[in-house]
Amino acid sequence: MHGLRCSPSLLGWTRLLDEWVVGLTQYNRASPSESVCWEHEARTRATLASAATRVRSFAYHEADIEPTEPRADSTLRFELQGCTYVVATVQRSPEAPRAMTEAADAWLAIALDRAVEAASPGELGTGVVLVTPKLAKGLTEAERHAIADEFVGASRLIPSDGCAYSFPDVGEIARYRYANSERPGALLLVRASASPQPISA
């Protein structure tokens, strides 16, 4: 299960969210890259930073693009389609979809406040919540897949400027190592400081 939706007012983010989803598949069983199972916020944030670097590399084909790296305050700063974004991330690991929907607005507000505080004039503060569900032990593959589907459905109830999600299907989890039996995948929720029309569906 993989997908995204994004407000057109958030310039460049449709491509960025797509690259975040697609880029997770680099963490396959044969890859020398460190596995990503969402246990550490810095590692989770790095998946977004890496996606931003790749998108910018595509946009500036032969240019020497500096990798997007967290700043001293852990925010990310990058330019997409002429807009400079300062992004603050928070990671939360709810155990159930309802817990996510009940708290998501507060999580997004925390991330957005941090981003706005770190942004300079002319930069757009953008809050990102990386939701990495943590499930109970002992669930069957079918149960894990059903809960992941519930998380995706619940994400549509959360007003945001963008959302992407990636949960490997039963047949994919054998190939990719960015999920495991307790950490089935991740969602990424976005809220910008100057978005005129947040999406909710």
Side-chain angles (χ1 to χ4, degrees):
M1 266 187 307
H2 318 276
L4 66 92
R5 56 192 183 276
C6 188
S7 169
S9 65
L10 206 56
L11 298 178
W13 276 75
T14 298
R15 182 67 183 271
L16 176 57
L17 295 179
D18 181 62
E19 188 58 36
W20 178 75
V21 172
V22 171
L24 292 178
T25 60
Q26 72 181 294
Y27 302 104
N28 58 46
R29 295 294 180 187
S31 171
S33 301
E34 187 177 14
S35 64
V36 172
C37 286
W38 317 115
E39 287 140 355
H40 305 290
E41 185 165 354
R43 188 186 302 173
T44 303
R45 185 187 304 114
T47 64
L48 179 61
S50 178
T53 299
R54 291 192 301 275
V55 169
R56 298 190 69 246
S57 296
F58 298 151
Y60 301 98
H61 300 288
E62 297 181 4
D64 186 15
I65 301 298
E66 290 290 329
T68 303
E69 300 282 357
R71 303 194 297 180
D73 60 2
S74 297
T75 60
L76 305 174
R77 182 184 183 276
F78 51 82
E79 179 267 329
L80 296 174
Q81 293 187 17
C83 184
T84 301
Y85 295 95
V86 172
V87 179
T89 65
V90 298
Q91 181 175 352
R92 296 293 184 268
S93 298
E95 297 179 358
R98 182 175 178 179
M100 177 182 72
T101 56
E102 289 178 346
D105 191 67
W107 297 342
L108 282 162
I110 290 169
L112 183 56
D113 285 348
R114 291 180 184 172
V116 169
E117 183 178 350
S120 298
E123 298 176 336
L124 184 61
T126 308
V128 168
V129 178
L130 294 149
V131 181
T132 56
K134 185 173 183 181
L135 307 185
K137 296 181 179 180
L139 298 177
T140 66
E141 290 182 345
E143 288 170 333
R144 290 197 302 270
H145 186 74
I147 294 173
D149 189 56
E150 290 176 14
F151 269 101
V152 172
S155 72
R156 296 187 177 95
L157 304 175
I158 300 169
S160 64
D161 293 304
C163 176
Y165 55 88
S166 188
F167 293 91
D169 293 327
V170 172
E172 294 177 316
I173 204 163
R175 298 196 306 272
Y176 301 122
R177 57 183 181 179
Y178 66 94
N180 59 27
S181 60
E182 292 180 55
R183 301 275 190 170
L187 304 97
L188 189 154
L189 303 170
V190 186
R191 180 173 291 172
S193 59
S195 176
Q197 188 122 27
I199 60 169
S200 59

